[in-house]
Amino acid sequence: MSDGHRELAEQLSRAAQTRSVTLRDVGLEPDSYDLLRTDTRFADVERLALHHNQLGDSGTAALAANPALTAVTHLELVGNAVGHDGIHALTNSPLRTTVTRLDLSGNPVTPEGFDALADASMPALRELVLRNVRCGGLGALLRAAALDRLALLDLSENDIADHDREYADWGGPAVYTIPADEVCVELRLRLGYRLDL
C-alpha cells in the first residue's frame, strides 16, 4: 500500500467529522484507484481537494465513478494532469449535479476538455476555476449553459486579457503590446466583474 493510499484512507476515516478530504503532493497511484472508485466514506465529503497527486485521467475517472460522492460541493483537482477523458468523466458523473465550485487549475485543458465543460449540464456550478490551463479552445465556454449562472470564472495565470496590454522593455524604449483576446472580450461582456483574468 502506497503512502498516498494510506493518507487517503486516513482522511476518509475523519471525513464524517470534517466533511472534507484534503491531500496535496502524496501521489495517488493506481493502488488507490479502487479506494477512489468504491469507498462509501466519500458520502460524508463536501469538500474534496486533491492537489498535485498525479491522478491523470484514469484516477479522475475512478473518482467520478464512485456512487457515494453525493454531497461534494467543492471539487479541487489542481495539477493532476487531468485531460479530456478525466473532464468528460467528471461532467458525466453524479458530481455534475452537486458541485458548486470546480477547480481544474494547472491541468492541460485541451479544446476537447473545454468542449466537455461547455456541453456539461452542471446546474449547481457557480464557480469555475481554470488558472494556468493553457486555454486552447477557450471559446467553447461561450456556449456553456452554466456560463450565465456563474458567480466566478477564474482564468487568471493564463496570459490572456480582455484589453490590450503593454509591457515596457526595461533595456530600452521599445514597448510590446499584447492584443486583447476576442474570446476574453466576449466573456467580459457576458460576465462583467464575475470574470477574473
Side-chain angles (χ1 to χ4, degrees), residues 65-93:
N66 190 324
L69 286 167
T70 57
V72 174
T73 59
H74 287 64
L75 179 60
E76 301 172 16
L77 298 176
V78 175
N80 276 293
V82 179
H84 165 255
D85 291 338
I87 292 171
H88 186 73
L90 290 173
T91 59
N92 286 290
S93 75

Tab-separated table of all heavy atoms in Angstrom, residues 65-93:
chain	number	residue	atom	x	y	z
A	65	ALA	N	-16.485	7.757	-10.812
A	65	ALA	CA	-17.342	6.570	-10.842
A	65	ALA	C	-17.875	6.180	-9.463
A	65	ALA	O	-18.727	5.290	-9.354
A	65	ALA	CB	-16.573	5.390	-11.438
A	66	ASN	N	-17.407	6.834	-8.399
A	66	ASN	CA	-17.827	6.458	-7.051
A	66	ASN	C	-19.264	6.940	-6.791
A	66	ASN	O	-19.520	8.133	-6.726
A	66	ASN	CB	-16.874	7.053	-6.014
A	66	ASN	CG	-17.124	6.500	-4.627
A	66	ASN	OD1	-18.259	6.232	-4.239
A	66	ASN	ND2	-16.057	6.333	-3.874
A	67	PRO	N	-20.215	6.011	-6.597
A	67	PRO	CA	-21.604	6.398	-6.384
A	67	PRO	C	-21.851	7.081	-5.032
A	67	PRO	O	-22.900	7.698	-4.830
A	67	PRO	CB	-22.358	5.078	-6.468
A	67	PRO	CG	-21.361	4.025	-6.142
A	67	PRO	CD	-20.039	4.553	-6.605
A	68	ALA	N	-20.885	7.005	-4.116
A	68	ALA	CA	-21.060	7.624	-2.794
A	68	ALA	C	-20.837	9.130	-2.826
A	68	ALA	O	-21.181	9.823	-1.870
A	68	ALA	CB	-20.110	6.980	-1.788
A	69	LEU	N	-20.288	9.664	-3.900
A	69	LEU	CA	-19.995	11.100	-3.981
A	69	LEU	C	-21.276	11.886	-4.243
A	69	LEU	O	-21.495	12.417	-5.317
A	69	LEU	CB	-18.969	11.379	-5.086
A	69	LEU	CG	-17.542	10.967	-4.763
A	69	LEU	CD1	-16.683	10.994	-6.008
A	69	LEU	CD2	-16.946	11.871	-3.702
A	70	THR	N	-22.101	11.978	-3.226
A	70	THR	CA	-23.399	12.640	-3.381
A	70	THR	C	-23.485	13.988	-2.681
A	70	THR	O	-24.457	14.711	-2.870
A	70	THR	CB	-24.510	11.740	-2.821
A	70	THR	OG1	-24.215	11.448	-1.450
A	70	THR	CG2	-24.617	10.439	-3.614
A	71	ALA	N	-22.478	14.338	-1.895
A	71	ALA	CA	-22.530	15.579	-1.121
A	71	ALA	C	-21.460	16.591	-1.518
A	71	ALA	O	-21.451	17.703	-1.017
A	71	ALA	CB	-22.394	15.269	0.371
A	72	VAL	N	-20.563	16.218	-2.436
A	72	VAL	CA	-19.447	17.089	-2.788
A	72	VAL	C	-19.945	18.356	-3.473
A	72	VAL	O	-20.610	18.295	-4.499
A	72	VAL	CB	-18.427	16.369	-3.700
A	72	VAL	CG1	-17.353	17.329	-4.188
A	72	VAL	CG2	-17.790	15.212	-2.956
A	73	THR	N	-19.623	19.504	-2.872
A	73	THR	CA	-19.958	20.786	-3.484
A	73	THR	C	-18.708	21.500	-3.992
A	73	THR	O	-18.788	22.261	-4.945
A	73	THR	CB	-20.689	21.708	-2.487
A	73	THR	OG1	-19.862	21.925	-1.347
A	73	THR	CG2	-22.019	21.101	-2.071
A	74	HIS	N	-17.562	21.255	-3.352
A	74	HIS	CA	-16.302	21.874	-3.756
A	74	HIS	C	-15.342	20.777	-4.188
A	74	HIS	O	-14.950	19.938	-3.366
A	74	HIS	CB	-15.685	22.670	-2.609
A	74	HIS	CG	-16.397	23.940	-2.311
A	74	HIS	ND1	-17.695	23.969	-1.850
A	74	HIS	CD2	-16.005	25.220	-2.413
A	74	HIS	CE1	-18.068	25.222	-1.679
A	74	HIS	NE2	-17.056	26.003	-2.014
A	75	LEU	N	-14.974	20.786	-5.467
A	75	LEU	CA	-14.066	19.781	-6.016
A	75	LEU	C	-12.854	20.489	-6.600
A	75	LEU	O	-12.980	21.290	-7.525
A	75	LEU	CB	-14.769	18.954	-7.091
A	75	LEU	CG	-13.938	17.868	-7.767
A	75	LEU	CD1	-13.430	16.842	-6.752
A	75	LEU	CD2	-14.761	17.179	-8.858
A	76	GLU	N	-11.697	20.201	-6.035
A	76	GLU	CA	-10.440	20.811	-6.475
A	76	GLU	C	-9.478	19.710	-6.897
A	76	GLU	O	-9.055	18.902	-6.078
A	76	GLU	CB	-9.822	21.623	-5.338
A	76	GLU	CG	-10.726	22.729	-4.825
A	76	GLU	CD	-10.193	23.398	-3.573
A	76	GLU	OE1	-8.988	23.224	-3.269
A	76	GLU	OE2	-10.976	24.077	-2.895
A	77	LEU	N	-9.172	19.685	-8.192
A	77	LEU	CA	-8.245	18.694	-8.739
A	77	LEU	C	-7.059	19.414	-9.385
A	77	LEU	O	-6.693	19.148	-10.523
A	77	LEU	CB	-8.968	17.801	-9.753
A	77	LEU	CG	-10.120	16.975	-9.203
A	77	LEU	CD1	-10.814	16.197	-10.311
A	77	LEU	CD2	-9.644	16.036	-8.110
A	78	VAL	N	-6.464	20.310	-8.656
A	78	VAL	CA	-5.395	21.167	-9.150
A	78	VAL	C	-4.143	20.350	-9.457
A	78	VAL	O	-3.691	19.547	-8.643
A	78	VAL	CB	-5.074	22.268	-8.105
A	78	VAL	CG1	-3.879	23.100	-8.530
A	78	VAL	CG2	-6.298	23.134	-7.858
A	79	GLY	N	-3.590	20.558	-10.661
A	79	GLY	CA	-2.301	19.982	-11.022
A	79	GLY	C	-2.245	18.474	-11.018
A	79	GLY	O	-1.304	17.896	-10.501
A	80	ASN	N	-3.232	17.823	-11.608
A	80	ASN	CA	-3.279	16.369	-11.615
A	80	ASN	C	-3.196	15.751	-13.007
A	80	ASN	O	-3.522	14.586	-13.178
A	80	ASN	CB	-4.569	15.884	-10.938
A	80	ASN	CG	-4.424	15.826	-9.446
A	80	ASN	OD1	-3.671	15.025	-8.918
A	80	ASN	ND2	-5.144	16.693	-8.755
A	81	ALA	N	-2.792	16.516	-14.002
A	81	ALA	CA	-2.707	16.027	-15.385
A	81	ALA	C	-4.056	15.485	-15.861
A	81	ALA	O	-4.141	14.480	-16.542
A	81	ALA	CB	-1.609	14.975	-15.535
A	82	VAL	N	-5.119	16.187	-15.482
A	82	VAL	CA	-6.469	15.799	-15.914
A	82	VAL	C	-6.689	16.367	-17.307
A	82	VAL	O	-6.626	17.576	-17.515
A	82	VAL	CB	-7.549	16.342	-14.952
A	82	VAL	CG1	-8.939	15.957	-15.428
A	82	VAL	CG2	-7.305	15.839	-13.537
A	83	GLY	N	-6.939	15.499	-18.255
A	83	GLY	CA	-7.183	15.896	-19.631
A	83	GLY	C	-8.638	15.717	-20.014
A	83	GLY	O	-9.528	15.654	-19.163
A	84	HIS	N	-8.869	15.595	-21.309
A	84	HIS	CA	-10.231	15.488	-21.838
A	84	HIS	C	-11.006	14.332	-21.224
A	84	HIS	O	-12.155	14.483	-20.803
A	84	HIS	CB	-10.195	15.342	-23.359
A	84	HIS	CG	-11.492	14.878	-23.921
A	84	HIS	ND1	-11.689	13.594	-24.364
A	84	HIS	CD2	-12.678	15.511	-24.070
A	84	HIS	CE1	-12.941	13.466	-24.774
A	84	HIS	NE2	-13.556	14.613	-24.612
A	85	ASP	N	-10.406	13.145	-21.159
A	85	ASP	CA	-11.133	11.970	-20.654
A	85	ASP	C	-11.526	12.138	-19.191
A	85	ASP	O	-12.626	11.762	-18.787
A	85	ASP	CB	-10.305	10.693	-20.828
A	85	ASP	CG	-10.144	10.308	-22.295
A	85	ASP	OD1	-10.979	10.744	-23.124
A	85	ASP	OD2	-9.181	9.575	-22.615
A	86	GLY	N	-10.650	12.729	-18.399
A	86	GLY	CA	-10.979	12.970	-16.990
A	86	GLY	C	-12.088	13.992	-16.833
A	86	GLY	O	-13.006	13.812	-16.027
A	87	ILE	N	-12.016	15.070	-17.601
A	87	ILE	CA	-13.067	16.093	-17.538
A	87	ILE	C	-14.391	15.511	-18.003
A	87	ILE	O	-15.441	15.748	-17.387
A	87	ILE	CB	-12.671	17.330	-18.375
A	87	ILE	CG1	-11.481	18.042	-17.730
A	87	ILE	CG2	-13.848	18.285	-18.527
A	87	ILE	CD1	-10.871	19.143	-18.573
A	88	HIS	N	-14.346	14.718	-19.058
A	88	HIS	CA	-15.567	14.072	-19.553
A	88	HIS	C	-16.173	13.155	-18.484
A	88	HIS	O	-17.387	13.149	-18.268
A	88	HIS	CB	-15.267	13.285	-20.833
A	88	HIS	CG	-16.464	12.706	-21.482
A	88	HIS	ND1	-17.384	13.473	-22.168
A	88	HIS	CD2	-16.912	11.436	-21.531
A	88	HIS	CE1	-18.342	12.694	-22.617
A	88	HIS	NE2	-18.083	11.449	-22.247
A	89	ALA	N	-15.319	12.399	-17.792
A	89	ALA	CA	-15.803	11.518	-16.725
A	89	ALA	C	-16.467	12.330	-15.612
A	89	ALA	O	-17.537	11.953	-15.110
A	89	ALA	CB	-14.654	10.683	-16.164
A	90	LEU	N	-15.852	13.445	-15.217
A	90	LEU	CA	-16.424	14.283	-14.163
A	90	LEU	C	-17.770	14.871	-14.563
A	90	LEU	O	-18.717	14.883	-13.777
A	90	LEU	CB	-15.472	15.441	-13.825
A	90	LEU	CG	-14.185	15.099	-13.102
A	90	LEU	CD1	-13.297	16.333	-13.020
A	90	LEU	CD2	-14.469	14.538	-11.716
A	91	THR	N	-17.842	15.386	-15.784
A	91	THR	CA	-19.057	16.080	-16.222
A	91	THR	C	-20.177	15.129	-16.608
A	91	THR	O	-21.289	15.585	-16.879
A	91	THR	CB	-18.756	17.043	-17.388
A	91	THR	OG1	-18.207	16.309	-18.483
A	91	THR	CG2	-17.797	18.139	-16.947
A	92	ASN	N	-19.888	13.838	-16.598
A	92	ASN	CA	-20.923	12.840	-16.868
A	92	ASN	C	-21.169	11.950	-15.663
A	92	ASN	O	-21.744	10.876	-15.789
A	92	ASN	CB	-20.540	12.003	-18.095
A	92	ASN	CG	-20.715	12.787	-19.365
A	92	ASN	OD1	-21.821	13.072	-19.775
A	92	ASN	ND2	-19.611	13.186	-19.960
A	93	SER	N	-20.742	12.392	-14.511
A	93	SER	CA	-20.925	11.626	-13.281
A	93	SER	C	-21.969	12.323	-12.410
A	93	SER	O	-22.364	13.453	-12.687
A	93	SER	CB	-19.589	11.547	-12.529
A	93	SER	OG	-19.298	12.784	-11.911
